[in-house]
C-alpha cells in the first residue's frame, strides 16, 4: 500500500477566502522523510524547541527484511515515510541529524480497550497532511483524526474521537533516544507533568544524559486516568514468587510520582457522540514549572486555529524570499529548504529566559539561547546563509556559542541541549565565528571569540576540541601513529580553522597571530602525494601509510586516513587554498581532470559534507566554469526533489538545504571564512531576498535570470546593470548590489581557447 | 569471626553522671536479628516512620551455602546478625514482618576512591552498638565510625571520617524491596532530594507500588558531588555502538532530576584532619516538600545528642512498666519486647498532617494516622496489650482503621502505607474493633465500626476481605472445592470474627445481629471429625477431603486445608468456643490429651500465630492449670532469649513480643473479643504498670510474686489481698484491681482428684 501524501498547498482551517500562496504554503515537510534524510513531517515553529512528529519507527520486525525500525539498525529519525505502523506523536525531536536522539514524550489517541504496549495499540494510518506548523493523519484502527500544531516551546494536538470509549496515552517508555527513565505525576483529570531522560547523542557523553520536562493539559476531564508501569523482569530466586513479574501495572487514579524505564499515563473517556479532545503540551529543559510557564505563556487559552495561524505567520516571516518562475516543485524544494534550514539551531531557553548552562550544571538566563550546533556540517555553508538571510538569528547563535565558551571553557563542536557531544572532528566554531565577522556581522565580542579560538588552537594538552594539536603544530599534520581519528581529514579541518583564525586576526589587527596561523593553514600540503595526486595518511616519521587505496572510505566505511570519506572526497576539501592545490596538482587542467575523475567515477558523495563544495571548484578553472553550472544542475536534479526521498541523505541540520538554496539562487560561499561567493546558474527567473536593513542597507537583493529547463548555462552576469566579469564576488560587493542578472543560455559558454 | 555485640546497658553520649538504668537502657535491639526474627537493630523512635538500619543482606554469594542474601531466598529484613558485609544504612524499614519490603534510601560513608557498586564499596564492620534510638558500628575497610539516631520522621547519622578523601553515598538502586526506580536531584553541595519506589509487599498489589520521598542535608558542603546512574544494559543491534553499555555513569555536579532503576548521589570531601559529617534525612510518603518540612520541624538545627536524648526520653515514656526481681536478661527481653511492640503500627502522617489515603489517591489530613496493620497476627494478643498499656495509641489505630474503611470502603486486613496487601486470611479487623470496644475503649464511632464489620461479613460478591463468604453463610464452612485458600483455617477465622461481631452487637444492643452472628460463630464444628478429633477439610457436598494427613502443613508447607499450619496447629484455634471443643473432644481429659500430644509430638509451633494461645488452654481443664504455667515457662526459656536468635521466628509486628510480655506478667488475653484474661505464673517479683487514668482510674496495676528460677507454679492468687479462686479474670475485674499477688511454688498445684 502506498499512502497518499498531500502537500497542503492551500490548507486552511477556517472558511477564510483563499488568497495567494504564501511561502509557508509551499513547504512540504515530507521531503527528507525517506532515503535517510532524517527530517520529520511534524508540526514545528521556526527554531522551535518542541515539535510534534508522528512516530512510526517501532514495530514488530518479524519477517521484514532490513526493517527501518529504531532498534534494528542505526536509525536517527522518529518517522520514516515508507513505514506503516504509527505508535504515537513525539514532542521533542531532532531534524536531519545522523544519530538517534530525543523522539520522546509520546502521545497517542486510541479507542476501545486500554492498551499500553505500542505493539498492541499501534495502527496503520492514512491521509497524512503536513505543512509548516501543522501535521495531521487518520488512524485506521481507531477512526481517529489526529492533527497537531506548535508554538516555539509548546504544542497542541486535536484528537477527533468517534462515539464510544476513547483513550489518550502519554507513553514515556517508548522513544527514539537510547536513554531510558522517566517520571510522571498526574496532577488532575486534565493535567499531567513529568520528565524523560534523554542524551548520549551519537553514543557520546552518556554521563551527561539529562531530563526534558513537560506539562500536558487536556481540554476535557478524563473519566478515569492513571499511570502504567512495566518494571524490569526479575530473574532468579526472587522471581519465583513474583506472579506479576514483568507485567504491566495499571495504577488507576494514582496521583503521586511514578518513575521507571517503561511508564506512561492514560486518560479515558466515554463519549456519547463524536468529540474532540485537545492536548496541550509545554516542555522545558530546566524544570516542570518552566514547562508549565512555557505552555501558559505561549498557548494558554488560545485555540488550535490561533496557534496554527500564529505559527504559520511566523513561518511566512522566516521564509521571506520571494521567487518567481520555476516550477511548483522547484518552489516547493526551495521553500522547504529554507524551512529545513530554520529548524536547527533551535531555541533552548524558556520563556522566562532560563536554560541549562553547558558544563556548569547551573541555570543560565538569556532570551536568545540557541542549541543544536552541528558545526562540522554547518560551518561550510549554513551559517553563511544565516548571515545573509537571518543576521539577527545568526548573531544569536554566535552569542550562544560564546556563552557556551564562557560556561564550559571551550567553543562548541557538536552541541546538543547544552551538552557537548564531541561528534565529528576539527575546530568548526572558529570558522563560523570568523566567517560571520568577516561577512560584516560584527556585533559580538570578537575579542572573546578570538581568545576562545586561540585556546582551542594553542592548548597542547587535554584539548577536547583539537586532539593531537601538539603534533599538528610540530609536524604540520596529524600522523597515523598519533592516535587521532582520521588524521588526514582532521589536519585539513585544523588548516581551515587556522585559515579562519588568520583571516580574523588580520581583520582585527592581530598581526603576529595572523602570520602564525596563516602559515599553519597550508600545512596539509605535507600530506600531498604528487604521485597519486591525493592527500595521504602519513606516519610521524614522514613515511606514507601503506597500503593506500584511495577509494577506501566511501559510503561511511571506516578507514585509516579519513573521517566519513575517502581520499577523493577529501583531496579538494582545501577551499581556502584551491590555488595552492591547483599548483600542486600541476596546473588547472590536471586539477580539473582529477575533479572530473571524481565525479565521473562516482566518488563524489552528495550525501556528506567534505566534498560539498566540489561542484563549485570548476569556477577556479578558467573556461570550465560551465561545469560548475552543469554539475550543480545535475546534482539538484538527481538528489533534490519534491518527494520524501528528495534529499541526498541526512539533511545535516540544514546544510543540504543550504546547498540547494544557494544552488537555486546562483551563488555559493565556496570558501568558509573567506567572505566570497562563486556563481552558478540560478533556477528561478526572479528571486527577491528581503534583507535586514541593519546589516544590508539596500534591504533587498534581486536576482533575475532567464532560467528555464533548457537555459542551464551562464552567458553573462550583470550587476546593477553592468556586466560582471568574474565568477566570484565578495560579500561586500554582493551587499552593495541591488540586482544581479544572469543571462543564461542553452549551451555552455566555452571560453577555452 | 564472631562479632562482639554490645548491649548498651549504660550508653551515654555526654559526660553526664550515670543514674539508674532506665527501661530504654535495657532494650537490646539485636534480639530478633537472627533466626528469622526479622527485626533490625537500627535507630528508631516509638512508632517511627523512619528508622536507620544497617543493611547487610546484599553480598556476593559465590561459595556460600544457603546465604542469607536478599536475592538468594525469601528474606524479609535489611539486616541479619550473622552476616558480615555491610553496604549502607537504610532509612525506611519494616520490623519483624514476613515479606521483603522497604529497606531503601541507603546512605554509606566510604573513603578513598569513589565506588558506587555495593559489592565494591561494601565492608565488614565491628563494634556494633545498639540501644533504643541509637545504632553505631565501625566500618573496617574505611576506619569510619558510623552512628545514627532518629526522631519519628527524620534521622541523623554521624560519620567519623579519618583524614583524607571521604565520600558519602546515597544509594537509591539498592534496597530490600523488590520494587525498582528512583529519582534524585542534588539541590546544593549540602542537600539532595528525591524519591524511591516501594511496594508490592508479599508480592501483593504490585499495581499499588508507591513513592517514598526524602530530603537529606549534610553538615559540611561537599567538595565535589554528583549523581551516578547505571542504566539497563542494551541488547541487540543498538548495543553494538554503545561502548558504555551498562556502565555506571558519573554525573559530576549534575543538578537536575535524574531517574533510573540504579541511581545514587555522592558527596566527596578531602579532609586534612579527622572530621565528622552529619547527614540528616527527612522522609514522607506524600511529597518532597513534606519530607523537607518533617526534617525541619523534627530535627532542624538540633544536635545529634539532642535528637538521641529526646528519642530516648520518648522510649522511656513508652516503655513505662517497672519490673523488679528477675535477671538482667529477663528484664532485657521484657523491655525489648515492649520496644518491639512499639515499632508497628507506626505513624504515617507528616508533621503537617498530610498522609496518602487508602485507595482514593488523595492526600488526607490527620495527626494520628497509623499504618502497618498485620491484623491476622495482631488481633490475637497485640491490640489487647495496646488497649491496656497504650489506650490512646490503640484508639489512634482504631480510628486509622475506620479512616481506611471510609477511604477504601473496606476495613484493613494487612495494610502497609495505605496500600491493602490482602496478605493472610480472615476478617481480623472486626475482631480488633470489637475487642477494643469490649475492653472499654469506646471513644470511637462504634456505629460506623459495626457497619464496616457487617459489610465485610455480609457482602456476598466481590468481597476482598472475606472471599467465599456466600458459601460460608450457606454451608457454615468453606469447602475444598470452593476455591478459597485454606478453607478450614479461613472458616475458623470467619467464626472468630463472627463471634467478635456478635459480642459487639450484644454490647451495643443489636439483638438480631447478635443472634445471627453468634449462631454462625460456631459453624466450624461442621468440620470437626470425631474420628481423628481434628478439624478437616471438607467438600461442599459434605464429604471429607481425602487423603488426610494431619501433620501436613507444618513449617509453612502448603496444604489443602490450612494456612501456614496443619490440623494440629488449627484444631484448638477456637478460643471463643473452647468449651464446645472440649465437649466435641469428649470431655476435658480427651481435650487435654490431644493438647499434650500436640506439644509432646512437637507439632506446636511457637513461631506462628494459629496455635499461639495453646499453652493457655490447659486453664480450661480443671486441675491441669499447672501445665499452662509449665508450657509457658518452657516456651519462654526455649524461644525468648537475650541474643540475636532470641525470638522464635518472625516477630510479626509485635505479636511474639506481646505473647512474651503477657507470659512474663502472668496473664494472657486468651480469647480475642472476649474481654477476659487467663493466668500463668509471672517472671518478676514486682511489675508496676502505669496505666492511663482516663481509661484505668486506678492509674496503676501492681503484680507481685515470689517468682524465682524454681518457683514456676501458682499456689494461690490474691487480688487486692483477697484470694482469687479462678484462673480467669475479666478485663473489668483487672481494671478494678490494684494489686495482683501470685504465690508461687516449686511444685505444681495438683488439684486433680
Amino acid at each position: 500500500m502506498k499512502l497518499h501524501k498531500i502537500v497542503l498547498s492551500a490548507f486552511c482551517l477556517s472558511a477564510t477566502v483563499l488568497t495567494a500562496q504564501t511561502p509557508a504554503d509551499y513547504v512540504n515537510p515530507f521531503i527528507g522523510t525517506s532515503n535517510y534524510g532524517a527530517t520529520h513531517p511534524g508540526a514545528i515553529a521556526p527554531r522551535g524547541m518542541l515539535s510534534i512528529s508522528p512516530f512510526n519507527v517501532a514495530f514488530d520486525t518479524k519477517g521484514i527484511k532490513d526493517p527501518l525500525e529504531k532498534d534494528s539498525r542505526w536509525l536517527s529519525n522518529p518517522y520514516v515515510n515508507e513505514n506503516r505502523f504509527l505508535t504515537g506523536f513525539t514532542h521533542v525531536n531532532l531534524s536531519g541529524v545522523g544519530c538517534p536522539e530525543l523522539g520522546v514524550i509520546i502521545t497517542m489517541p486510541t479507542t476501545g480497550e486500554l492498551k499500553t504496549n505500542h505493539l498492541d495499540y499501534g495502527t496503520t494510518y492514512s491521509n497524512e497532511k503536513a505543512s509548516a506548523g501543522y501535521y495531521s493523519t487518520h488512524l485506521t484502527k481507531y477512526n481517529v483524526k489526529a492533527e497537531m500544531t506548535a508554538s516555539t516551546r509548546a504544542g497542541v494536538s486535536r484528537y477527533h474521537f468517534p462515539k464510544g470509549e476513547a483513550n489518550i496515552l502519554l507513553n514515556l517508555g517508548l522513544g527514539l533516544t537510547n536513554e531510558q527513565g522517566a517520571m510522571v505525576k498526574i496532577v488532575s483529570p486534565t493535567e499531567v507533568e513529568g520528565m524523560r531522560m534523554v542524551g548520549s547523542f551519537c553514543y557520546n557523553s552518556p554521563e551527561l544524559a539529562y531530563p526534558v520536562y513537560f506539562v500536558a493539559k487536556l481540554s476535557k476531564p478524563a473519566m478515569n486516568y492513571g499511570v502504567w508501569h512495566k518494571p524490569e523482569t526479575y530473574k532468579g530466586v526472587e522471581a519465583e514468587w513474583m506472579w506479576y513479574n514483568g507485567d504491566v501495572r495499571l495504577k488507576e487514579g494514582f496521583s503521586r510520582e511514578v518513575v521507571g524505564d517503561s511508564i506512561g499515563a492514560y486518560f479515558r473517556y466515554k463519549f456519547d457522540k463524536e468529540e474532540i479532545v485537545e492536548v496541550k503540551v509545554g516542555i522545558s529543559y530546566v524544570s516542570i514549572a518552566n514547562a508549565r510557564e512555557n505552555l501558559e505563556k505561549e498557548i494558554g487559552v488560545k485555540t488550535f486555529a490561533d496557534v496554527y495561524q500564529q505559527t504559520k505567520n511566523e513561518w511566512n516571516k522566516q521564509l521571506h524570499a520571494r521567487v518567481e518562475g520555476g516550477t511548483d516543485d522547484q518552489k516547493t524544494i526551495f521553500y522547504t529548504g529554507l524551512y529545513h534550514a530554520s529548524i536547527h539551531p533551535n531555541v533552548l531557553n524558556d520563556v522566562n529566559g532560563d536554560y541549562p548552562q553547558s558544563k556548569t550544571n547551573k541555570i543560565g538566563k538569556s532570551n536568545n539561547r540557541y542549541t543544536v550546533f552541528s558545526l562540522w556540517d554547518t560551518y561550510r555553508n549554513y551559517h553563511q546563509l544565516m548571515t545573509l538571510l537571518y543576521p539577527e538569528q545568526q548573531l544569536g547563535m554566535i552569542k550562544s556559542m560564546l556563552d557556551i565558551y564562557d560556561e564550559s571553557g571551550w567553543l562548541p563542536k557538536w552541541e546538543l541541549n547544552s551538552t557537548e557531544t564531541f561528534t565529528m572532528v576539527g575546530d568548526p566554531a572558529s570558522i563560523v565565528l570568523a566567517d560571520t565577522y568577516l561577512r560584516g556581522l560584527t556585533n559580538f565580542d570578537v575579542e572573546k571569540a578570538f581568545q576562545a579560538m586561540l585556546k582551542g588552537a594553542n592548548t597542547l594538552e587535554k584539548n577536547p576540541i583539537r586532539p593531537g594539536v601538539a603534533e599538528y603544530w610540530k609536524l604540520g599534520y596529524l600522523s597515523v601513529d598519533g592516535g587521532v581519528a582520521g588524521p588526514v581529514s582532521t589536519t585539513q579541518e585544523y588548516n581551515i580553522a587556522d585559515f579562519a583564525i588568520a583571516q580574523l586576526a588580520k581583520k582585527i589587527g592581530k598581526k603576529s597571530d595572523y602570520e602564525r596561523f596563516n602559515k599553519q593553514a597550508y600545512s596539509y600540503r605535507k600530506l600531498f602525494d604528487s604521485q597519486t595526486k591525493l592527500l595521504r595518511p602519513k606516519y610521524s616519521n614522514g613515511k606514507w601509510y601503506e597500503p593506500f587505496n584511495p577509494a577506501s572510505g566511501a559510503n561511511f566505511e571506516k578507514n585509516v586516513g579519513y573521517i566519513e570519506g575517502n581520499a577523493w572526497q577529501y583531496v579538494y576539501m582545501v577551499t581556502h587554498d584551491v590555488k595552492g592545490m591547483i599548483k600542486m596538482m600541476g596546473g588547472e587542467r590536471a586539477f580539473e581532470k582529477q575533479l572530473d575523475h571524481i565525479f565521473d567515477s562516482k566518488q563524489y558523495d552528495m550525501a556528506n559534507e567534505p566534498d560539498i563544495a566540489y561542484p563549485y571548484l570548476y569556477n577556479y578553472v578558467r573556461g570550465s566554469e560551465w561545469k560548475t553550472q552543469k554539475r550543480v544542475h545535475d546534482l539538484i536534479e538527481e538528489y533534490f526533489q519534491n518527494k520524501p526521498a528528495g534529499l541526498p541523505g541526512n539533511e545535516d541540520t540544514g546544510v543540504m538545504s543550504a546547498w540547494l538554496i544557494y544552488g537555486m539562487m546562483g551563488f555559493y560561499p565556496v570558501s568558509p571564512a573567506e567572505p566570497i561567493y562563486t556563481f552558478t546558474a540560478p533556477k528561478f527567473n526572479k528571486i527577491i531576498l528581503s534583507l535586514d536593513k541593519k546589516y544590508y542597507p539596500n534591504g533587498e537583493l534581486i536576482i533575475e535570470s532567464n532560467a528555464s529547463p533548457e537555459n542551464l548555462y551562464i552567458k553573462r552576469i550583470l550587476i546593477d546593470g553592468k556586466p560582471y566579469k568574474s565568477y566570484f564576488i565578495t560579500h561586500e560587493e554582493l551587499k552593495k548590489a541591488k540586482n544581479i542578472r544572469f543571462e543564461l543560455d542553452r549551451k555552455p559558454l566555452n571560453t577555452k581557447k
Side-chain angles (χ1 to χ4, degrees), chain A residues 615-616 618-619 624-632 680:
Chain A
Y616 289 97
Y618 291 103
N619 279 350
S624 295
E625 298 89 350
W626 65 272
K627 288 191 180 174
T628 283
Q629 299 146 35
K630 179 79 168 88
R631 296 285 184 204
V632 171
T680 191

Side-chain angles (χ1 to χ4, degrees), chain A residues 506-654:
Chain A
K506 192 174 167 188
K507 183 82 178 178
I508 63 174
K510 311 264 185 188
K511 207 175 163 225
S512 66
D513 287 318
Y514 164 70
E515 279 163 11
R516 180 162 172 263
F517 283 96
N518 193 54
K519 192 179 158 208
Q520 184 71 7
Y522 306 95
S523 70
Y524 80 93
R525 293 177 184 173
K526 293 188 179 176
L527 297 177
F528 186 78
D529 171 21
S530 55
Q531 211 146 8
T532 59
K533 303 210 166 176
L534 291 167
L535 301 173
R536 285 184 58 177
K538 205 179 218 180
Y539 288 103
S540 55
N541 64 8
K543 292 223 161 72
W544 296 120
Y545 173 80
E546 293 284 1
F548 176 59
N549 171 10
S552 152
N555 300 318
F556 296 86
E557 181 188 296
K558 259 208 168 179
N559 70 97
V560 167
Y562 312 93
I563 297 290
E564 291 191 358
N566 65 18
W568 304 109
Q569 288 149 8
Y570 268 99
V571 61
Y572 287 166
M573 194 192 83
V574 288
T575 43
H576 64 302
D577 188 34
V578 179
K579 282 172 190 163
M581 176 55 79
I582 288 171
K583 209 168 162 187
M584 289 196 293
M585 294 297 288
E588 289 186 356
R589 291 307 143 211
F591 175 86
E592 182 181 1
K593 197 180 153 196
Q594 182 81 297
L595 197 54
D596 279 341
H597 171 75
I598 292 167
F599 280 102
D600 296 341
S601 64
K602 306 270 177 210
Q603 288 298 334
Y604 179 73
D605 183 4
M606 184 72 249
N608 210 11
E609 277 68 14
D611 56 6
I612 200 164
Y614 280 21
Y616 289 97
L617 298 186
Y618 291 103
N619 279 350
Y620 289 90
V621 180
R622 212 163 327 133
S624 295
E625 298 89 350
W626 65 272
K627 288 191 180 174
T628 283
Q629 299 146 35
K630 179 79 168 88
R631 296 285 184 204
V632 171
H633 174 80
D634 289 351
L635 289 166
I636 291 176
E637 291 286 307
E638 182 174 355
Y639 291 109
F640 297 88
Q641 295 165 20
N642 181 17
K643 62 179 188 186
L647 284 178
N650 280 178
E651 158 70 348
D652 289 335
T653 67

Side-chain angles (χ1 to χ4, degrees), chain A residues 181-245:
Chain A
M183 187 274 283
V184 68
K185 184 183 175 196
I186 295 183
V187 178
S188 77
T190 58
E191 188 169 338
V192 56
E193 63 183 33
M195 57 82 101
R196 174 61 151 88
M197 298 299 289
V198 292
S200 59
F201 179 72
C202 288
Y203 310 102
N204 285 320
S205 308
E207 73 285 0
L208 300 180
Y210 53 93
V212 52
Y213 302 89
F214 67 88
V215 168
K217 294 190 178 187
L218 289 77
S219 61
K220 289 192 167 63
M223 188 179 69
N224 300 110
Y225 57 87
V227 172
W228 79 80
H229 181 201
K230 188 177 190 306
E232 202 185 339
T233 303
Y234 264 71
K235 290 172 198 76
V237 180
E238 200 74 69
E240 290 169 24
W241 297 290
M242 295 174 74
W243 51 272
Y244 51 89
N245 197 0

Side-chain angles (χ1 to χ4, degrees), chain A residues 671-689:
Chain A
S671 177
E674 201 176 347
I676 60 164
Y677 302 94
T678 192
F679 289 119
T680 191
K683 297 300 165 197
F684 297 105
N685 299 125
K686 192 168 186 179
I687 304 166
I688 304 168
L689 300 177

Side-chain angles (χ1 to χ4, degrees), chain A residues 58-363:
Chain A
F59 49 86
D60 186 354
T61 58
K62 215 162 31 197
I64 302 175
K65 194 163 176 278
D66 294 333
L68 293 161
E69 199 274 340
K70 71 182 183 74
D71 294 330
S72 310
R73 55 162 64 230
W74 186 307
L75 188 84
S76 57
N77 33 327
Y79 173 92
V80 171
N81 191 260
E82 48 269 58
N83 286 348
R84 291 291 167 263
F85 191 75
L86 186 139
T87 56
F89 302 97
T90 50
H91 282 70
V92 283
N93 302 285
L94 293 175
S95 171
V97 300
C99 294
E101 185 40 5
L102 303 188
V104 290
I105 312 175
I106 292 180
T107 55
M108 177 77 183
T110 69
T111 62
E113 198 190 337
L114 177 67
K115 291 179 180 173
T116 60
N117 182 329
H118 63 280
L119 297 180
D120 297 331
Y121 74 64
T123 174
T124 55
Y125 50 99
S126 62
N127 203 22
E128 280 187 288
K129 294 178 188 177
S131 63
Y134 179 88
Y135 172 87
S136 78
T137 188
H138 182 268
L139 306 181
T140 318
K141 195 193 247 180
Y142 305 115
N143 190 24
V144 166
K145 180 182 173 185
E147 47 181 352
M148 46 220 71
T149 187
S151 62
T152 305
R153 303 166 184 88
V156 197
S157 299
R158 278 162 70 90
Y159 301 137
H160 302 249
F161 288 107
K163 182 182 162 180
E165 286 184 328
N167 313 297
I168 293 174
L169 311 179
L170 172 67
N171 191 337
L172 297 171
L174 191 65
L176 182 62
T177 180
N178 301 311
E179 290 298 306
Q180 291 279 312
M183 187 274 283
V184 68
K185 184 183 175 196
I186 295 183
V187 178
S188 77
T190 58
E191 188 169 338
V192 56
E193 63 183 33
M195 57 82 101
R196 174 61 151 88
M197 298 299 289
V198 292
S200 59
F201 179 72
C202 288
Y203 310 102
N204 285 320
S205 308
E207 73 285 0
L208 300 180
Y210 53 93
V212 52
Y213 302 89
F214 67 88
V215 168
K217 294 190 178 187
L218 289 77
S219 61
K220 289 192 167 63
M223 188 179 69
N224 300 110
Y225 57 87
V227 172
W228 79 80
H229 181 201
K230 188 177 190 306
E232 202 185 339
T233 303
Y234 264 71
K235 290 172 198 76
V237 180
E238 200 74 69
E240 290 169 24
W241 297 290
M242 295 174 74
W243 51 272
Y244 51 89
N245 197 0
D247 290 353
V248 173
R249 306 170 183 182
L250 289 189
K251 303 172 80 66
E252 184 91 0
F254 201 81
S255 57
R256 282 171 285 164
E257 281 86 350
V258 176
V259 298
D261 282 349
S262 183
I263 64 173
Y266 61 87
F267 295 84
R268 307 196 70 184
Y269 300 89
K270 196 161 188 177
F271 295 130
D272 52 15
K273 58 178 175 54
E274 289 181 18
E275 290 272 8
I276 291 171
V277 183
E278 284 189 2
V279 182
K280 296 177 174 175
V281 176
I283 65 151
S284 163
Y285 288 94
V286 171
S287 68
I288 288 171
N290 279 12
R292 185 170 282 111
E293 190 181 351
N294 288 342
L295 178 57
E296 286 310 308
K297 292 269 168 69
E298 289 193 354
I299 295 187
V301 297
K302 279 181 199 153
T303 65
F304 186 94
D306 285 347
V307 174
Y308 174 53
Q309 191 57 55
Q310 182 180 308
T311 295
K312 188 177 174 183
N313 293 347
E314 280 176 32
W315 274 118
N316 275 324
K317 212 174 131 197
Q318 178 79 5
L319 312 178
H320 54 49
R322 269 172 52 208
V323 294
E324 293 172 17
T327 64
D328 273 2
D329 276 353
Q330 283 178 313
K331 285 176 184 162
T332 294
I333 63 171
F334 180 83
Y335 282 118
T336 305
L338 274 179
Y339 167 84
H340 280 145
S342 300
I343 289 177
H344 298 305
N346 59 265
V347 168
L348 176 62
N349 61 285
D350 293 323
V351 286
N352 65 10
D354 285 353
Y355 70 92
Q357 287 189 344
S358 186
K359 201 125 180 187
T360 66
N361 281 305
K362 289 183 185 144
I363 301 305

Side-chain angles (χ1 to χ4, degrees), chain A residues 15-44:
Chain A
T16 51
V17 176
L18 269 182
T19 51
Q21 278 195 298
T22 64
D25 293 325
Y26 280 106
V27 171
N28 177 8
F30 289 108
I31 294 176
T33 61
S34 181
N35 189 37
Y36 306 101
T39 63
H40 66 76
I44 188 169

